[in-house]
């Protein structure tokens, strides 16, 4: 679409106006030079229902609250060993993912579910200090609920 409309264009997606930025120079301008213009998150009725206070949590907050939460999150991740420790966690999960994919050799399959499991397990390793087997029912229920929440956020029901 950038070839037709240029490096910066907007369009309505549902009830929201969305700005698209394409190309290195335009993205750098938006995220570095004009960062203060693009920092706000869009209003989300679903987020308002999920968070009882006006803070909006890490993913839906704005301005000074977001900066404070980001600073805390980055410092905490550094203390948890974001670099080397996280790399080891990722390598371990890749090994489990590879074994799961090898079990399906010769038959077509959609890897989306396996990739969701792997990413969620990396996060679980960092948050809970353990990973879950891909067949674990509690783990699968948690993932199913998170996916459903993401679908609801993008649906008309989130805006009612």
């Amino acid at each position: 679409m950038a070839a037709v409309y240029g490096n910066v264009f907007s369009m309505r997606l549902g009830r929201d106006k969305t700005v698209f930025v394409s190309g290195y120079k335009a993205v750098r301008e938006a995220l570095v030079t004009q960062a203060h213009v693009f920092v706000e998150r869009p209003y989300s009725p679903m987020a308002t229902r999920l968070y009882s206070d006006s803070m909006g949590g890490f993913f839906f907050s704005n301005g000074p609250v977001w900066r404070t939460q980001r600073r805390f999150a980055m410092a905490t991740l550094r203390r948890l060993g974001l670099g080397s420790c996280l790399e080891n966690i990722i390598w371990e999960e890749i090994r489990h993912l590879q074994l799961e994919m090898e079990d399906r050799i010769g038959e077509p399959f959609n890897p989306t579910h396996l990739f969701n499991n792997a990413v969620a397990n990396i996060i679980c390793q960092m948050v809970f200090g353990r990973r879950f087997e891909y067949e674990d029912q509690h783990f699968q229920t948690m993932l199913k609920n998170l996916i459903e929440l993401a679908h609801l956020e993008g649906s008309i029901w989130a805006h009612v």
Side-chain angles (χ1 to χ4, degrees):
M1 290 182 82
V4 176
Y5 298 107
N7 285 341
V8 179
F9 63 93
S10 67
M11 64 188 283
R12 288 216 171 271
L13 295 175
R15 65 181 202 85
D16 299 319
K17 188 175 192 177
T18 304
V19 176
F20 292 86
V21 182
S22 174
Y24 177 79
K25 287 181 180 178
V27 169
R28 181 169 172 73
E29 174 77 16
L31 298 180
V32 178
T33 310
Q34 301 288 326
H36 64 283
V37 175
F38 294 95
V39 74
E40 296 293 316
R41 305 281 196 272
Y43 170 73
S44 169
M46 175 84 63
T48 304
R49 288 185 205 120
L50 286 174
Y51 297 99
S52 57
D53 58 9
S54 61
M55 299 287 190
F58 185 73
F59 294 104
F60 295 103
S61 59
N62 288 301
V65 171
W66 177 80
R67 274 190 215 89
T68 302
Q69 290 176 346
R70 182 181 182 280
R71 197 173 301 122
F72 170 77
M74 293 306 291
T76 303
L77 287 172
R78 270 194 295 279
R79 274 194 301 274
L80 290 172
L82 179 62
S84 61
C85 180
L86 182 59
E87 183 177 342
N88 292 337
I89 290 170
I90 292 170
W91 278 113
E92 178 188 349
E93 196 56 42
I94 287 173
R95 186 176 55 79
H96 289 283
L97 178 61
Q98 181 180 7
L99 291 173
E100 287 290 325
M101 293 178 101
E102 286 174 354
D103 286 347
R104 293 166 171 80
I105 286 181
E107 59 185 71
F109 72 98
N110 183 348
T112 304
H113 183 67
L114 291 177
F115 290 149
N116 285 342
N117 286 338
V119 170
N121 256 331
I122 291 167
I123 295 168
C124 286
Q125 274 277 48
M126 292 176 59
V127 174
F128 306 130
R130 67 169 281 221
R131 68 174 302 280
F132 295 88
E133 293 302 320
Y134 291 171
E135 299 82 26
D136 184 303
Q137 280 308 113
H138 295 296
F139 181 59
Q140 291 305 317
T141 301
M142 177 181 66
L143 288 178
K144 182 179 147 282
N145 290 339
L146 287 171
I147 290 167
E148 187 176 330
L149 181 65
H151 284 291
L152 284 173
E153 174 63 27
S155 75
I156 186 67
W157 298 109
H159 303 282
V160 181

